[in-house]
Amino acid sequence: MSLVNKVMSRAKRDYWRWKYHRVARQVLATRPLERGELPFTLLSMVHQRDVSSYLVAVKSFAHFLNPARIVVVCDPSIDPELREAHEFVHPDIPRGGTWERLFAIAHYVEDSYVVQLDADTLTVRPVPEVLAAIRNGTGFVLGEMPDTPIRLLPAAREYALPWAGPGAHVQAIAETEMVHVGLPPETRYIRGCSGFTGFPRSTTMQAAMTDYSRRMGARLGADWKRWGTEQVTSNYLVSNTPGVQPLPFPKYGTPDVATTETAFYHFIGSMRFVNNKYEAASRHAIRLINSAPA
């Protein structure tokens, strides 16, 4: 890409980011969120720059499913004291990225169903599949295709091999290597996204997470500290919960595959400020939030 094209691309991103934040800040004028009664915990890890985005994400989700408990794990950039990230560390798991978030989930899941919600998500229609999972105590995960399969580890390896060449993302590397770390043959894996995941109650998740991290760290060495290993671990953990199902795609998905039936958007980084979709969807979400009866 030429220097001129780089400058133009940067200018476009800055423009769409400015337009988005002008809309997202409107969430600050909406009514405070009241405690719900649905029996689950809604947990997110939030960076200071994403506070407005998070408020739109959590309020739009709670417009349809309002939890009995909301937990924010603060990135070190957050000033108010809520739950600090350093509270959720362990010598057998990496630090940074979103590992502290996953360790926090392992703590709260001991006495509650936990839904992990990223700050760059928006809920704009009813999500009955999520409510059914919460009520039934079954896991869910955000998939990457229609009928995202849950595979045994040898099949997960075969699927990931095309992406596992030189310079590969650590997710592909981990997905090809986890079959070699001594996990039980019935172990399963789904290639999902940790940005929106449902974890049923469990008293063994923390032990399973630290065991898996020890095995993978021994296999991958320094690579296991790279960004993306938490997502692999989240996928692994939820894949082996009872009754887990991928959410319908693209009813739950990224904006590039959205249809008129899409209920839940995940605006991953590469799709966030390239056009007006994030701004428009946020404007719609804020209208929904404001439409709730007082």
Side-chain angles (χ1 to χ4, degrees), residues 31-59:
R31 289 188 297 274
L33 188 62
E34 295 185 4
R35 182 187 296 271
E37 297 181 354
L38 288 175
F40 72 100
T41 297
L42 188 64
L43 186 145
S44 305
M45 188 171 187
V46 182
H47 190 284
Q48 188 175 48
R49 65 172 177 262
D50 297 323
V51 170
S52 293
S53 301
Y54 165 71
L55 291 174
V56 183
V58 70
K59 286 191 168 187

Side-chain angles (χ1 to χ4, degrees), residues 192-216:
C193 175
S194 63
F196 187 51
T197 310
F199 294 93
R201 290 182 63 174
S202 170
T203 58
T204 61
M205 179 176 165
Q206 182 175 321
M209 178 177 63
T210 53
D211 173 72
Y212 179 76
S213 183
R214 282 194 297 268
R215 292 172 186 267
M216 294 299 291

Side-chain angles (χ1 to χ4, degrees), residues 151-162 172 175-177 179-180:
R151 300 177 172 96
L152 293 174
L153 297 189
R157 170 182 167 81
E158 291 301 314
Y159 183 76
L161 277 173
E175 288 169 351
T176 61
E177 294 299 320
V179 72
H180 300 304

Side-chain angles (χ1 to χ4, degrees), residues 86-97:
H86 65 73
E87 297 180 60
F88 301 106
V89 297
H90 189 280
D92 291 324
I93 63 172
R95 295 193 66 167

